[in-house]
Amino acid sequence: MRWMELAWAEQGVCEIKGPEHSPAVLALFKRSGRSDVTNDETAWCGAFVGACLAGAGLPMPPLEQRLMGRAYLKIGTPVEQPRVGAMVVLSRDDAGPHAGHVGFVTGWTETHVAVLGGNQSDAVTVAHFPRSQVLGYRWPEPEHSAEDLAGLGSRIVTEAQRVGGDAVRMARDGAVAAGALVTGAGAGATAPKLPGGQLVETAQGLMGAVKTAQAFVLFCWSSW
């Protein structure tokens, strides 16, 4: 999850108390498309999430709503239960019925959700919020459709068949070559007489190639 890699990389970014403003926080505003914000007192949880989504090439809310936590309920794919990496939007009753907070889920219990977010105690931290505050979870990427999965499965099967066919041909050719080296391929054959050690290395190399191909086919099958 590229967006989570970017999010974790920002952990520890914090505001600067006083008249100065954190260059790291201002960079989040800029990367989220809101370079017009030039202070770190403006609520920046949306800038943090937006910057991570932008860095991963994922959709974001409209520019004018990008700093509003609840705007992130309008993008991505809704998911019913918490999922590591999902966006979570929370209510902020202390700031009014239209206020919200947004971050990324990193874990949960029956009562709380752990959130990696910006502007949490004026920094990028992991904080725990009651699940009663959750307004919704959204997965940043589109969910795969049945057609997408079918296409992916076809590509995996095609590639597995190609690699498997190559392995069979290599094994067959290797067996023929090994037989020729050992027997001289019959009367009148001109097969080279390789030293025993080289013959063993050749056979081992062929066996290794076959095992690698088999492992690839099994991986593709299990992933699909």
Side-chain angles (χ1 to χ4, degrees):
M1 295 180 287
R2 176 59 178 161
W3 68 91
M4 287 301 287
E5 293 176 8
L6 297 171
W8 283 114
E10 300 295 339
Q11 190 174 25
V13 165
C14 60
E15 299 176 17
I16 296 176
K17 302 299 182 184
E20 293 186 39
H21 305 292
S22 166
V25 173
L26 297 184
L28 293 175
F29 283 114
K30 183 176 182 178
R31 283 160 45 202
S32 68
R34 293 298 306 268
S35 56
D36 57 305
V37 179
T38 57
N39 66 83
D40 61 8
E41 281 90 23
T42 299
W44 50 280
C45 67
F48 167 73
V49 172
C52 297
L53 297 181
L58 295 170
M60 294 187 289
L63 188 61
E64 66 276 8
Q65 300 178 24
R66 206 159 288 173
L67 303 184
M68 302 167 59
R70 292 183 184 234
Y72 288 83
L73 287 170
K74 302 175 183 178
I75 64 171
T77 304
V79 289
E80 295 297 323
Q81 297 298 325
R83 183 190 300 181
V84 172
M87 296 179 292
V88 56
V89 179
L90 303 127
S91 63
R92 291 182 56 202
D93 296 335
D94 59 325
H98 301 294
H101 179 69
V102 63
F104 297 110
V105 175
T106 62
W108 60 90
T109 66
E110 290 185 4
T111 59
H112 286 73
V113 60
V115 180
L116 173 62
N119 203 28
Q120 296 180 168
S121 299
D122 299 331
V124 176
T125 64
V126 175
H128 299 83
F129 296 87
R131 291 179 67 168
S132 59
Q133 287 183 235
V134 173
L135 297 174
Y137 303 102
R138 309 287 292 197
W139 190 248
E141 295 178 318
E143 291 286 285
H144 291 297
S145 66
E147 292 77 10
D148 293 336
L149 292 175
L152 177 62
S154 297
R155 290 192 295 275
I156 289 175
V157 169
T158 299
E159 183 63 12
Q161 288 174 338
R162 184 190 68 77
V163 174
D166 289 346
V168 170
R169 285 190 294 273
M170 288 177 66
R172 183 183 62 236
D173 294 345
V176 172
L181 290 171
V182 172
T183 66
T190 58
K193 300 296 190 293
L194 295 181
Q198 189 172 346
L199 174 59
V200 171
E201 289 178 1
T202 301
Q204 288 176 336
L206 290 167
M207 289 175 63
V210 171
K211 290 189 182 208
T212 299
Q214 289 174 333
F216 177 78
V217 172
L218 287 174
F219 166 77
C220 291
W221 178 82
S222 61
S223 297
W224 179 41

